[in-house]
Amino acid sequence: ETGVTQSPTHLIKTRGQQVTLRCSSQSGHNTVSWYQQALGQGPQFIFQYYREEENGRGNFPPRFSGLQFPNYSSELNVNALELDDSALYLCASSARDTEAFFGQGTRLTVV
Amino acid sequence: AQTVTQSQPEMSVQEAETVTLSCTYDTSENNYYLFWYKQPPSRQMILVIRQEAYKQQNATENRFSVNFQKAAKSFSLKISDSQLGDTAMYFCAFMKRDFGNEKLTFGTGTRLTIIP
């Protein structure tokens, strides 16, 4: 167990809907990163939050957005869902100069 | 931009044998980390081993060791005395050392199966 928890574990949404995924970071970690892992692929960096500010973003459209709260937990929001958004979404927390610890992921299916 | 390449999509080995997974990367950075992560069917990404680029000595963690060749930009993982629990996807990952802006760039993974 890494101390990083994600909810929900599975989710099914319809194309065009909106979804919110949640992540509780490990105690003492002030940085949260989100990754998208399509089936059979490696995770792709979506964005990172450091002390409640977005601090780096990958090649994802603006309909992917996020928040980090004062307790360093985080949300990933995706608007106008598309079929290609179906993937495993991983959250990772870290502190300065430490490795990232991952949650168990949220499996999102868009139908 | 950094890229990470894992050229072995799948590998299998008999239990108790040794297996080596390959990884190459491309970067113009000089200060970075390299990682091997394991992802079992439970989906959680678990850190196996970490290497700082400025360290010449290869990292070792129990049965896991790496062969880090900085000039060749190669970072292979050796698993000795393989066990059934080692069956998983293995991802090689790169991270530039940039405080407060540290993202991981992953390879496409190698599916490792340990045969009883």
Side-chain angles (χ1 to χ4, degrees):
Chain A
E1 291 295 322
T2 62
V4 181
T5 58
Q6 293 185 241
S7 62
T9 55
H10 295 86
L11 198 54
I12 300 174
K13 288 286 189 179
T14 303
R15 189 171 50 183
Q17 285 188 316
Q18 179 265 341
V19 68
T20 298
L21 310 182
R22 295 178 174 82
C23 172
S24 280
S25 58
Q26 184 162 310
S27 177
H29 287 181
N30 55 17
T31 301
V32 173
S33 304
W34 287 91
Y35 293 83
Q36 181 195 65
Q37 186 178 16
L39 198 61
Q41 300 295 316
Q44 298 290 317
F45 175 73
I46 303 175
F47 46 56
Q48 181 178 86
Y49 279 82
Y50 173 66
R51 293 187 175 181
E52 303 178 58
E53 297 286 330
E54 186 179 291
N55 184 40
R57 187 178 183 93
N59 189 27
F60 281 81
R63 59 190 185 82
F64 285 77
S65 64
L67 283 173
Q68 187 180 31
F69 300 100
N71 66 355
Y72 302 130
S73 65
S74 177
E75 288 182 354
L76 164 65
N77 300 289
V78 187
N79 294 322
L81 283 166
E82 300 177 358
L83 297 180
D84 284 349
D85 296 333
S86 295
L88 180 67
Y89 288 85
L90 295 167
C91 167
S93 76
S94 59
R96 174 169 283 195
D97 205 24
T98 69
E99 59 265 27
F101 291 89
F102 285 82
Q104 81 281 16
T106 294
R107 172 76 67 193
L108 173 65
T109 302
V110 182
V111 297
Chain B
Q2 285 70 233
T3 58
V4 177
T5 302
Q6 294 179 249
S7 58
Q8 304 153 312
E10 294 189 28
M11 294 188 73
S12 61
V13 66
Q14 293 289 137
E15 190 177 5
E17 290 187 347
T18 295
V19 60
T20 299
L21 308 184
S22 301
C23 173
T24 59
Y25 60 96
D26 189 23
T27 184
S28 57
E29 302 292 337
N30 197 46
N31 197 2
Y32 55 87
Y33 297 103
L34 293 164
F35 303 89
W36 278 98
Y37 279 91
K38 168 185 176 180
Q39 189 178 40
S42 67
R43 308 180 325 202
Q44 187 158 28
M45 201 73 77
I46 301 165
L47 178 67
V48 175
I49 200 164
R50 154 181 156 157
Q51 173 80 43
E52 289 93 339
Y54 66 87
K55 290 187 177 179
Q56 292 188 335
Q57 186 171 8
N58 289 324
T60 299
E61 287 288 341
N62 301 314
R63 298 184 295 109
F64 300 88
S65 61
V66 298
N67 183 3
F68 173 47
Q69 302 289 327
K70 190 172 183 179
K73 295 181 182 173
S74 169
F75 183 61
S76 61
L77 173 70
K78 186 171 84 171
I79 306 174
S80 303
D81 185 27
S82 57
Q83 300 175 0
L84 296 179
D86 296 333
T87 293
M89 284 290 292
Y90 285 80
F91 291 96
C92 178
F94 172 100
M95 184 176 81
K96 173 183 158 185
R97 190 172 181 181
D98 183 5
F99 294 141
N101 187 22
E102 292 153 340
K103 68 170 189 178
L104 290 160
T105 300
F106 288 88
T108 52
T110 296
R111 183 176 302 280
L112 176 65
T113 302
I114 309 300
I115 303 166

